[in-house]
Amino acid sequence: MTQNEVSMGSKVNEWLTGWKSNLFVRLFLFFLLILLFYFSLSTKLVPKTYDIEPNTYSEKTILATKQIENVLATKEAKLEAAQKVQPIYQIISFKSEQLIDILFDKLLQNNASADTVLNFEEKVSLYNRVIPETMLDYVDAFVAGLEKNPQYSTQLVQEIKLKLLDQQYKIPAETYYKLPRLSESELNNMEPIVKSIVSKLMSDPIIEVQGTRNKVTEQVNSSDLSTSVLREVAQDLVRFSLTANKYLDEQGTAEARDKAQELTKTIFINKNDAIINKDQLITNEIYEQLKSMNLLTDKASYLPRLGLLLLSSLLVLVLYLFIRQSKLSIRENNSQLLMLVIIYIVNIAVMHIVELGVNLDFPYIGFITPVALGTVLIMILLEAPLAWVSTLIFAITASIIFNNESAQLFDFRYGFVAVVVGYASVFSLNQTSQRISILRAGIINSAFSVLSVVILLLLDNHYTIKETTFALSFAATGGVLTAVLVIGILPFFEAVFGILSPLKLIELSHPNLPLLRKLLTETPGTYHHSIMVGNLSEAAADSIGADGLLCRVGSYYHDIGKTRRPSYFIENQSNMENPHDSIEPSLSKSIIMAHTREGVEMLKEHKIPKAIRDIAEQHHGTTLLKYFHHKALQKLGDSGSQLAISEEEYRYPGPKAQSKEAAIVGIADCVEAAVRSMRSPTMEQIDTMVEKIIKQRLEDGQFNECDLTLKELTTISKALREALLGIFHSRIEYPSDLKE
């Protein structure tokens, strides 16, 4: 292998071991979150486009992405409503009786008094001119009166005038030759008959007067007029006096139809309704609708994509800034960030799986979504503050993913329920010690989900029994489903990421587990020592904000290697000789040091998580076995040899503590053994011993590879002294006891 290959291999190994704190890996994971939000929400916020042309047949059914007006259907509905409006007519009496009076007055005047002035031909000519003019003058006067009446529109008045002139009866020429020959008595007899017939015929609505004029002959023939001449003249005068009295009000009709169109409700194409079905002809109207919804490939707008990208970036930015400003361990740990990304993927994937059933005939099926799944996993596997901000992000995504009925971008109902159940889960899981706690949290989740749904239904005030039943049932099921999924998924994260959740730690601390039972039965002294170390280390860890539960459980297993040769460890040597008295110091050293390596091997065999194995391997660090080193030096001196024995030969192989928890367990282990070896320790002795041990380890460089600070070491020292005083208080010699 060349030098370049070796160099490259070392760089790869360095990168693989340092990826948990690598900046580029961190940025990539945040970018992955942006992609997750973008693609998971794109189906709801970015319309799918189609490459189609008008006057062709659609190859697939295209659904509306939002609620829009169905222009074609609305237009047809308005036209239909307008067509149902009947034409509006106005009944306006022409007052033909007055016209008859004027005509007969002229006839009487000219026939009676003009005999000496006008001859016969002149009278015929006079009537031929005067009678039509009389009608025109009467029509003008009648129309002028209508124009002064605000009830009638100008258009209607003009229509009446045109119709009166249009339907005016033209008296035959022979009738004008008959009129001059009528006597005064004949005219007086004829006038009431003409009035009566006109009044009778005009009593009915008349649109087209010609039909009414056809009835005149019958009416006149049944009158009292005796001669045919009188009847013929009467018929023409009646026809001349008859007019239409029912007129179409075109303006009023148009206004009524316009109002009917205005009152016609707009027809909408709702979200997820079919705009066009498969194999349906794409008309120009349908094409325009697709165009208006940006569903055409060549007309698609990129603004929704830009908006979604900004929204996705904003959500991730909120998460990034929160993590950056916090003091959470995820701030520097890419392994935890990767786990957070996977939790987000799982939670959003579950939302989409449930969303597939939204189109089924089950109202509010979205409430069955275990939307708090991600919150609960983050609460258990990571830290509570991260669960708070993630709940808000999950609520926003839920309000988008389940937005199928609203015309808005977000359906606040699902977001509201997600916030309520998320925060309820955070509160209910504040202290999680058993897996049954998750089920209890699921029940609490269901209760608050039902409560939030009840609030929404009461505020809406438009719900049916069916909708209420489904909504409450789904809400109650969602909480239980959350608990079931968390219990099922949790082991995956614990195994893949080596996560020691509080639940897993509690399980590992059960005394009936094989290793702990072996420790208790075969090395009772070591077991008791481990329990004491657990109490001390937990108190010390809690005092500086480290993982106290991990310290306790790690202490239970830290000396498991002593079960291989229990009699070689002093805490197990009751009523027996110390075997180290009869063997070489070098062999004693090997036996004592082997317990860390052998303990790690035993823990690996029983698949105990790495964090506990690390504590077992690192709790002694590279400390010196002073007793056996001194014994070896003394023996060497007694033999008169001038050879020196290096301290390195009698130091533990390490490694030094890599975490606060491993360092704390190592301190507690040494302190407990030292104090236990003291006979009737006093308060001053305990204080001195604790400070001495911590100082020696600090000077020996045992804390160089973990991030314990001097301030934290001071806090740990104080916590250990308080815990030891509580344990050994009955043995402390007070002044009165010393005097005795």
Side-chain angles (χ1 to χ4, degrees):
M1 184 178 295
T2 66
Q3 184 176 357
N4 290 336
E5 291 176 339
V6 172
S7 177
M8 184 177 295
S10 63
K11 289 181 179 180
V12 172
N13 291 332
E14 181 181 352
W15 187 90
L16 289 175
T17 55
W19 75 271
K20 291 184 179 181
S21 58
N22 188 284
L23 176 62
F24 294 103
V25 173
R26 191 164 197 77
L27 294 177
F28 172 75
L29 291 175
F30 280 114
F31 178 71
L32 194 61
L33 275 177
I34 293 177
L35 294 180
L36 170 64
F37 287 122
Y38 182 87
F39 288 107
S40 63
L41 302 179
S42 61
T43 56
K44 292 293 181 180
L45 299 179
V46 178
K48 185 179 179 181
T49 57
Y50 302 88
D51 186 12
I52 58 176
E53 295 293 335
N55 301 318
T56 60
Y57 289 92
S58 176
E59 297 180 355
K60 57 183 67 178
T61 298
I62 301 177
L63 304 180
T65 57
K66 60 182 179 181
Q67 187 185 62
I68 63 166
E69 179 184 352
N70 190 334
V71 178
L72 183 61
T74 303
K75 183 178 179 181
E76 291 177 352
K78 288 184 175 181
L79 289 176
E80 184 179 354
Q83 290 171 357
K84 289 181 179 179
V85 176
Q86 297 299 322
I88 298 176
Y89 289 89
Q90 296 282 359
I91 304 295
I92 302 175
S93 176
F94 186 63
K95 300 180 181 179
S96 299
E97 294 85 353
Q98 296 179 11
L99 175 62
I100 294 171
D101 288 339
I102 295 172
L103 290 175
F104 274 90
D105 287 343
K106 289 183 179 294
L107 290 173
L108 288 170
Q109 181 181 356
N110 290 319
N111 282 4
S113 60
D115 289 342
T116 59
V117 179
L118 301 173
N119 58 31
F120 180 80
E121 291 296 334
E122 289 174 339
K123 288 182 180 181
V124 171
S125 177
L126 176 65
Y127 289 141
N128 200 8
R129 175 175 54 82
V130 169
I131 290 178
E133 288 178 355
T134 302
M135 171 61 81
L136 292 177
D137 293 339
Y138 190 79
V139 168
D140 289 339
F142 177 71
V143 169
L146 293 179
E147 289 175 344
K148 296 177 182 179
N149 191 337
Q151 180 182 354
Y152 306 118
S153 64
T154 303
Q155 183 181 357
L156 176 62
V157 172
Q158 293 300 321
E159 184 181 344
I160 292 172
K161 182 177 181 180
L162 290 175
K163 198 163 189 179
L164 289 173
L165 296 177
D166 234 16
Q167 296 185 9
Q168 184 178 352
Y169 181 74
K170 188 176 181 180
I171 297 176
E174 58 267 21
T175 302
Y176 288 114
Y177 283 92
K178 297 174 182 177
L179 289 175
R181 295 190 176 96
L182 297 176
S183 64
E184 182 178 352
S185 60
E186 288 175 332
L187 289 173
N188 288 331
N189 290 333
M190 186 187 298
E191 183 178 359
I193 294 173
V194 170
K195 279 186 178 180
S196 175
I197 295 173
V198 169
S199 177
K200 181 179 180 182
L201 293 176
M202 291 284 289
S203 62
D204 296 326
I206 302 173
I207 298 176
E208 296 293 335
V209 73
Q210 186 58 43
T212 306
R213 287 171 179 163
N214 293 334
K215 303 175 182 178
V216 172
T217 303
E218 181 184 353
Q219 294 291 327
V220 173
N221 289 336
S222 62
S223 67
D224 295 335
L225 296 175
S226 56
T227 64
S228 60
V229 174
L230 293 177
R231 287 194 294 271
E232 290 171 359
V233 172
Q235 288 176 19
D236 288 333
L237 291 177
V238 170
R239 291 189 181 101
F240 184 77
S241 301
L242 289 174
T243 62
N245 59 8
K246 185 177 182 181
Y247 301 94
L248 175 63
D249 187 353
E250 292 185 356
Q251 183 175 341
T253 303
E255 290 176 353
R257 288 175 177 171
D258 289 342
K259 188 173 182 180
Q261 291 186 357
E262 290 176 4
L263 294 176
T264 302
K265 292 184 178 179
T266 303
I267 299 175
F268 289 98
I269 298 176
N270 293 319
K271 190 173 184 179
N272 292 328
D273 285 351
I275 301 177
I276 185 170
N277 294 311
K278 185 179 179 180
D279 299 327
Q280 182 181 347
L281 179 66
I282 304 172
T283 62
N284 290 327
E285 291 81 4
I286 294 175
Y287 186 82
E288 290 300 320
Q289 288 178 342
L290 296 173
K291 181 179 177 181
S292 66
M293 299 185 78
N294 296 320
L295 292 176
L296 302 180
T297 302
D298 58 339
K299 303 294 182 182
S301 173
Y302 290 96
L303 294 180
R305 296 183 183 277
L306 177 60
L308 177 57
L309 180 61
L310 292 176
L311 174 62
S312 303
S313 302
L314 181 61
L315 293 176
V316 176
L317 180 63
V318 169
L319 185 63
Y320 168 77
L321 293 177
F322 176 82
I323 293 175
R324 182 180 178 183
Q325 297 297 325
S326 69
K327 295 182 179 180
L328 305 177
S329 57
I330 193 175
R331 180 180 178 183
E332 304 293 340
N333 191 332
N334 289 342
S335 176
Q336 291 187 352
L337 182 59
L338 175 60
M339 182 164 51
L340 179 67
V341 172
I342 294 176
I343 291 174
Y344 270 71
I345 292 173
V346 170
N347 203 47
I348 293 177
V350 170
M351 290 185 195
H352 277 289
I353 291 173
V354 177
E355 192 265 339
L356 294 176
V358 169
N359 293 327
L360 301 176
D361 189 22
F362 296 113
Y364 302 113
I365 193 173
F367 290 140
I368 201 175
T369 309
V371 70
L373 171 64
T375 300
V376 175
L377 288 174
I378 294 171
M379 184 70 185
I380 295 174
L381 299 174
L382 296 169
E383 301 184 62
L386 204 56
W388 284 95
V389 68
S390 295
T391 296
L392 294 176
I393 295 176
F394 290 143
I396 294 173
T397 55
S399 65
I400 296 175
I401 291 174
F402 294 106
N403 179 30
N404 280 312
E405 298 178 1
S406 174
Q408 303 298 321
L409 295 176
F410 302 87
D411 191 336
F412 81 96
R413 296 174 299 178
Y414 296 99
F416 172 72
V417 174
V419 168
V420 171
V421 299
Y423 288 154
S425 300
V426 171
F427 284 119
S428 61
L429 286 169
N430 192 31
Q431 296 293 333
T432 307
S433 58
Q434 296 179 337
R435 295 195 187 270
I436 193 66
S437 302
I438 299 177
L439 185 58
R440 183 173 63 249
I443 296 173
I444 295 174
N445 186 315
S446 296
F448 276 91
S449 181
V450 169
L451 176 62
S452 58
V453 170
V454 169
I455 292 172
L456 290 174
L457 292 175
L458 292 176
L459 291 175
D460 185 24
N461 201 24
H462 294 288
Y463 51 86
T464 63
I465 296 178
K466 177 183 177 182
E467 290 176 341
T468 303
T469 303
F470 274 111
L472 296 179
S473 301
F474 288 144
T477 306
V480 178
L481 188 59
T482 299
V484 172
L485 289 177
V486 169
I487 293 174
I489 294 175
L490 197 57
F492 163 80
F493 286 97
E494 292 174 342
V496 173
F497 291 92
I499 296 297
L500 273 177
S501 65
L503 301 175
K504 184 67 174 179
L505 287 171
I506 292 295
E507 291 177 355
L508 290 173
S509 66
H510 200 286
N512 284 332
L513 291 177
L515 285 179
L516 293 184
R517 190 166 61 248
K518 179 181 179 67
L519 188 68
L520 174 62
T521 57
E522 297 181 10
T523 56
T526 300
Y527 178 82
H528 181 264
H529 161 70
S530 299
I531 297 297
M532 299 294 289
V533 172
N535 293 335
L536 294 174
S537 61
E538 184 177 33
D542 289 341
S543 69
I544 65 169
D547 193 338
L549 185 57
L550 175 59
C551 287
R552 170 183 285 277
V553 180
S555 298
Y556 292 169
Y557 290 91
H558 80 290
D559 277 342
I560 194 67
K562 292 182 179 180
T563 58
R564 292 282 178 91
R565 302 175 188 85
S567 61
Y568 284 87
F569 298 91
I570 192 168
E571 65 266 25
N572 300 315
Q573 297 171 359
S574 57
N575 301 322
M576 63 176 293
E577 292 184 0
N578 188 344
H580 292 289
D581 294 339
S582 58
I583 63 176
E584 292 295 322
S586 59
L587 180 58
S588 297
K589 175 230 6 176
S590 299
I591 293 172
I592 297 297
M593 288 184 178
H595 86 276
T596 57
R597 173 178 50 81
E598 292 172 345
V600 172
E601 292 173 355
M602 293 176 67
L603 293 174
K604 283 184 178 179
E605 290 175 6
H606 288 78
K607 295 181 172 54
I608 302 299
K610 187 176 183 302
I612 295 178
R613 299 202 307 266
D614 289 343
I615 290 176
E617 185 179 23
Q618 300 167 14
H619 72 281
H620 282 297
T622 58
T623 54
L624 177 67
L625 275 172
K626 292 183 179 180
Y627 176 82
F628 291 107
H629 179 251
H630 177 73
K631 184 178 179 181
L633 288 175
Q634 186 179 22
K635 187 173 183 180
L636 192 63
D638 293 342
S639 65
S641 174
Q642 299 299 318
L643 298 175
I645 299 177
S646 172
E647 286 188 359
E648 296 300 324
E649 296 180 24
Y650 282 82
R651 283 186 178 273
Y652 280 93
K656 295 178 181 179
Q658 304 295 306
S659 65
K660 291 182 179 181
E661 288 76 14
I664 290 171
V665 172
I667 295 172
D669 175 56
C670 190
V671 166
E672 195 280 333
V675 175
R676 179 165 41 84
S677 67
M678 299 169 63
R679 184 175 182 181
S680 299
T682 64
M683 183 183 303
E684 291 78 9
Q685 289 175 326
I686 290 177
D687 288 346
T688 302
M689 181 62 68
V690 172
E691 290 181 1
K692 178 182 178 181
I693 290 172
I694 293 178
K695 182 180 180 182
Q696 287 178 346
R697 290 213 164 202
L698 178 63
E699 293 175 348
D700 197 26
Q702 297 302 314
F703 306 136
N704 290 352
E705 298 179 14
C706 65
D707 53 354
L708 276 176
T709 64
L710 292 176
K711 182 178 180 181
E712 287 175 334
L713 288 173
T714 302
T715 305
I716 290 171
S717 175
K718 181 180 178 182
L720 287 173
R721 291 198 301 268
E722 292 175 353
L724 286 168
L725 290 175
I727 295 172
F728 295 101
H729 68 280
S730 60
R731 301 183 187 179
I732 295 176
E733 296 184 71
Y734 293 95
S736 58
D737 298 327
L738 294 172
K739 181 181 290 187
E740 291 176 3

